[in-house]
Amino acid sequence: QVQLVESGGGLVQPGGSLRLSCAASSATFSINAMGWYRQAPGKERELVASITRGGRLNYADSVKGRFIISRDNAENTVYLQMNDLKSEDTAVYYCYAGPWSIPLPQGYWGQGTQVIVSS
């Protein structure tokens, strides 16, 4: 079984910060890429950031310079530090884990945690 447990979402004012965390466990595959996707109302799910076991990073252009992804390989935990949040960051954020070096959509997903950026 594969399990991903997310936490850290919430309501924050524009310019504020939030830190998301996701702890993954897998008995069926060795976790490589982990990351975060988000889905805003009426929009498709998009990659926010990903990180491999080896530390390769990937960020969406819209969050570069504001968000920082990191992970603890021993704990299979991935974090997303979100700074200078904007209203367009409002979305449900989904944790991702997969056995590949890139976050292919055939991997596994958390339940999602809602981030609302509003004054």
Side-chain angles (χ1 to χ4, degrees), residues 20-36:
L20 307 182
S21 63
C22 174
S25 62
S26 175
T28 57
F29 67 93
S30 178
I31 296 172
N32 190 338
M34 298 186 73
W36 297 90

Side-chain angles (χ1 to χ4, degrees), residues 5-29:
V5 180
E6 304 180 23
S7 64
L11 174 65
V12 65
Q13 294 183 343
S17 298
L18 286 173
R19 187 173 189 246
L20 307 182
S21 63
C22 174
S25 62
S26 175
T28 57
F29 67 93

Side-chain angles (χ1 to χ4, degrees), residues 43-93:
K43 297 184 178 180
E44 297 183 1
R45 188 174 298 186
E46 64 174 349
L47 176 67
V48 178
S50 66
I51 182 169
T52 68
R53 288 186 60 85
R56 178 182 288 272
L57 305 173
N58 187 31
Y59 292 96
D61 288 341
S62 60
V63 307
K64 288 180 179 177
R66 298 189 297 121
F67 291 9
I68 301 171
I69 190 170
S70 61
R71 69 186 287 173
D72 182 333
N73 287 335
E75 299 292 335
N76 282 327
T77 301
V78 64
Y79 307 92
L80 185 67
Q81 178 66 45
M82 304 185 294
N83 301 314
D84 192 24
L85 284 160
K86 303 176 180 180
S87 60
E88 53 262 41
D89 296 316
T90 296
V92 176
Y93 285 70

